[in-house]
Amino acid sequence: SKKEFVAFNHGPPLGLLGSPDLTGHFQDSVLTIDNDDLVGVVDPVSGHMLRQFDALYVADTKKLSFNRVGDDSRFYRDVKAKEGKPTCVYWCPLLTTIFVGYSSGGVAPVDSELNFQEHTDTTAVHDAAIKQIYTFRMRPNHDTVNNFMMVGDAKGRLSVWQLTGHAKERKCIWTTEAHIGSVVRMEGLLTSGDMHGNSSTDTSVKRIIVTACTGGIVKVWLQHDSGELLLSSFFKTHQGGLSSLHASLVVTAPAPGEGYESSVEKSGSQTIQSHMVKSVDGSYQSASHSHKKKLAHIICVCGLSNGALECWVLSNSDEGIGNNSYVMDSQSVLSVMPEQT
């Protein structure tokens, strides 16, 4: 049969795989799932397959007898998590682990040696195909670090699982039927700290997570230190179904006279208005000292199933920390329809 890719995502760094890109153009490999249920790690420079493993579990026709004997056994949990076909794949830089999502609602972790590890039983919450996986780290205080996994399925359900500790101790700490339609994107934005939120000293990291579904609903969530999510805002695209989303957080100082305090620095004959822009990877560009008040904008670029693009902007002050609500800017929707050729 003709081989096709059914899913792909960012993969492990090429340097970790022993195949760094000498040109410096690429840092990460690409994870793929093909229609033969093979998960591959691809070098984007050469196109070569660096690693590959079979992620399909062929269900045993006698499995029902095992259900009756030991529903709580490790064997049963491992079988159930890998039952069905792989539907998504995700590289977790925090745990240096590949997570594979399955049509059963299970998620199976795979270590660097391509061995399946003991999994967290996501099938206790999800009974539909896993479509999106996202991991993050929270530091509620200087002595505690908690790792979490967020999962989204084909029915629109979201869940957050604590990954700290032994697999048997890991539990679902939050879940909700957030969307009508399959989850197509989960993206995390940081208001402070480094790009993975794993600073050893900064406990002020606040995380914003943007989720989207095929029905065109996009939701913005603010995260509590416990890992639970609080809904901040949402919108629905004007032109129908959504197939992709890219979100970024931009933090700027308002212009003088807009009611917010700002910092102005004089250098020779020039006056520089302080500003700061933070991209999705958490990096900063600053022209001067920080100001007391900032405006935060979440910019969502939505790719629609009809080929159009919509750009939505949600705004807040104090980088979204002091105020828990992002409000839609007036007339913020920009629709772009590519020319037909």
Side-chain angles (χ1 to χ4, degrees), residues 1 3 52 82 90 173 176 181 192 214 217 220 264 279 314 341:
S1 62
K3 183 168 293 188
Q52 192 174 53
K82 293 186 290 182
Y90 174 81
I173 62 172
T176 185
S192 62
T214 53
I217 299 292
V220 176
V264 178
S279 65
L314 297 87
T341 58

Side-chain angles (χ1 to χ4, degrees), residues 3-7 32-39 49 52 86:
K3 183 168 293 188
E4 298 177 352
F5 290 127
V6 298
T32 63
I33 301 178
D34 63 30
N35 57 349
D36 289 331
D37 304 309
L38 297 176
V39 173
M49 187 71 68
Q52 192 174 53

Side-chain angles (χ1 to χ4, degrees), residues 91-107:
W91 162 250
C92 171
L94 301 177
L95 304 177
T96 60
T97 299
I98 296 173
F99 285 94
V100 182
Y102 286 86
S103 56
S104 63
V107 175

